[in-house]
Amino acid sequence: MSTPNHEVKSGSDAVPPASSVEDSSTVASRPLIRFDVLTLFPNLFEGFLSESILKRALERNLIAVHRHDLRTWASNKHHQVDDRPFGGGPGMVLMAPPVVEAVEAVQALTAPPGLVLAMTPSGRRLDQEWVRRLATQPRLILLCGRYEGFDERIIELLQPELVSIGDYVLSGGEVPAMVVIDAVSRLIPGVLGDDQSAVEDSFGPEGLLDHPHYTRPRLYRGLSVPEVLTSGNHAEIARWRREQALQRTRQRFREAVLPTIPNAPYGSAPPATE
Ligand code: 4FV
């Protein structure tokens, strides 16, 4: 079976081939963005790439995800990619030779070489504005760490952008890489069906949090849906939703955001009483 637009140098490829899409006319001639993931656990991405939005985006060749097993570039017969830290201390460190040579080999697989991102808690915190910038790239190389982290010379030689998804320590960079693939793919045209839109998501261009959402049943355990939402008055609904989004954003980012929002109802910081 030909490997569809995601390949694992080793390990299974459960994701169904492109030919199983409903109407093939919607298969893009070339993906709008290609992700190359370098990891010691390529199979961790199976389920993530085999369901819902990403499965359909892969089938329609809107995006491509190629996984590469870092161990393929291990130089000794033990396929060693990690070693004990110089200076002592707990744990192991990812070695520079297999990682640097893996990135260089993967970048050379096709053009353009792609922007290299290394997932690490010491990176800059990922946010929607950064995701929007990444979604304009034709190719992203996602480097997943393991153990205590990368030999520092990997960073010196590859000069990757350092990406953190949050101030907590994970066992590997695979989940952060999935976060990048998911968040960026949502901004690729056609990935979200027209019943979904990334535009109205939280952290849109204005940086506002999303307004509350309601659906049937109208009444649940005595809790009803705000009248305005069933009024049919779309101007009123839009005003209410913006008002709610502002309140939530203010709660969340009190003084930080409001001043930057043009003609926000409160203008500068909320009255002292609050
Ligand atoms: C992480 C984060 C993270 C650190 C050691 C993998 C782990 C191990 N990456 N945002 N938080 N990585 O915890 O990006 O190598």
Side-chain angles (χ1 to χ4, degrees):
M1 174 165 77
S2 65
T3 53
N5 58 2
H6 71 89
E7 71 201 62
V8 182
K9 281 278 173 274
S10 64
S12 70
D13 54 356
V15 179
S19 56
S20 67
V21 288
E22 291 76 40
D23 52 356
S24 58
S25 63
T26 62
V27 176
S29 56
R30 58 180 286 110
L32 293 159
I33 190 166
R34 169 179 169 142
F35 301 93
D36 287 89
V37 181
L38 287 87
T39 168
L40 287 170
F41 301 98
N43 296 339
L44 270 179
F45 293 78
E46 279 304 330
F48 172 68
L49 297 173
S50 309
E51 298 293 342
S52 181
I53 290 168
L54 289 175
K55 176 176 181 275
R56 203 179 49 234
L58 285 164
E59 287 170 345
R60 298 174 54 208
N61 204 28
L62 294 171
I63 69 170
V65 179
H66 298 260
R67 289 165 279 161
H68 311 274
D69 188 334
L70 278 170
R71 221 170 272 288
T72 309
W73 285 270
S75 51
N76 62 24
K77 64 181 176 317
H78 312 296
H79 300 301
Q80 186 184 6
V81 292
D82 62 311
D83 207 336
R84 286 177 293 105
F86 281 118
M92 302 293 269
V93 175
L94 260 180
M95 298 163 69
V99 174
V100 171
E101 286 148 35
V103 170
E104 290 169 346
V106 166
Q107 288 196 288
L109 278 177
T110 183
L115 176 67
V116 183
L117 306 178
M119 311 297 131
T120 168
S122 54
R124 188 158 68 86
R125 175 77 65 80
L126 184 68
D127 60 17
Q128 193 65 14
E129 196 235 325
W130 193 0
V131 167
R132 277 196 287 273
R133 186 164 63 76
L134 294 174
T136 65
Q137 297 286 326
R139 188 177 183 201
L140 296 177
I141 313 287
L142 306 178
L143 194 44
C144 303
R146 276 276 156 175
Y147 315 109
E148 298 311 307
F150 300 105
D151 181 298
E152 195 57 25
R153 292 164 291 182
I154 293 169
I155 309 300
E156 270 169 66
L157 289 165
L158 297 175
Q159 295 291 314
E161 293 195 4
L162 303 180
V163 183
S164 170
I165 62 166
D167 298 343
Y168 36 78
V169 180
L170 303 168
S171 6
E174 285 75 17
V175 170
M178 293 177 195
V179 167
V180 171
I181 293 170
D182 190 303
V184 168
S185 298
R186 293 172 60 77
L187 302 184
I188 302 301
V191 168
L192 292 185
D194 43 25
D195 58 342
Q196 302 148 298
S197 81
V199 178
E200 272 148 36
D201 270 356
S202 294
F203 308 110
E206 277 192 292
L208 289 182
L209 294 180
D210 213 354
H211 53 73
H213 298 281
Y214 293 83
T215 186
R216 286 181 295 195
R218 272 179 188 245
L219 188 62
Y220 183 62
R221 297 192 179 180
L223 299 177
S224 59
V225 174
E227 286 292 312
V228 62
L229 294 180
T230 54
S231 67
N233 178 334
H234 296 294
E236 261 314 296
I237 291 168
R239 214 193 73 68
W240 179 86
R241 282 177 168 169
R242 180 172 168 71
E243 171 50 34
Q244 291 291 317
L246 280 166
Q247 271 183 20
R248 285 177 154 204
T249 307
R250 220 182 67 233
Q251 289 308 335
R252 171 89 173 273
F253 303 114
R254 287 193 77 65
E255 313 314 329
V257 174
L258 275 180
T260 69
I261 297 179
N263 63 45
Y266 294 102
S268 63
T273 55
E274 288 265 338

